[in-house]
């Protein structure tokens, strides 16, 4: 279990290194964060987001603008 911690004007949590490694993620990677209809939060690595769903081509350095339920 992770505790949410205030960071400036935001709130965040640390992701354990074992989970990061299992997910194939590293510091600096882009992810999409979604609030699902059932109230769960989903983190999707950019490499798993199809280009048409991301709103920009996969080579872009800056991710597409978030949708209403995404941050």
């Amino acid at each position: 279990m992770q505790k949410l911690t205030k960071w400036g004007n935001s709130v965040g949590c640390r992701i354990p290194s074992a989970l990061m490694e299992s997910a194939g993620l590293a510091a600096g990677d882009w992810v999409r964060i979604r609030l699902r209809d059932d109230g769960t939060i989903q983190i999707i690595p950019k490499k798993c987001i199809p280009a048409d769903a991301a709103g920009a081509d996969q080579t872009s350095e800056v991710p597409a603008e978030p949708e209403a339920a995404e941050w």
Side-chain angles (χ1 to χ4, degrees):
M1 184 170 292
Q2 299 295 316
K3 180 179 180 179
L4 294 176
T5 306
K6 187 153 177 69
W7 291 356
N9 291 329
S10 299
V11 174
C13 67
R14 293 178 185 251
I15 301 173
S17 59
L19 182 59
M20 292 282 292
E21 186 177 316
S22 294
L25 294 171
D29 287 353
W30 286 101
V31 295
R32 175 178 283 177
I33 301 173
R34 296 181 56 196
L35 177 61
R36 297 176 52 120
D37 291 341
D38 63 2
T40 59
I41 296 171
Q42 181 181 36
I43 300 173
I44 307 165
K46 183 179 180 203
K47 61 187 170 207
C48 295
I49 302 170
D52 58 335
D57 71 76
Q58 290 286 33
T59 61
S60 175
E61 289 294 322
V62 179
E65 284 294 314
E67 296 175 11
E70 298 178 9
W71 292 271

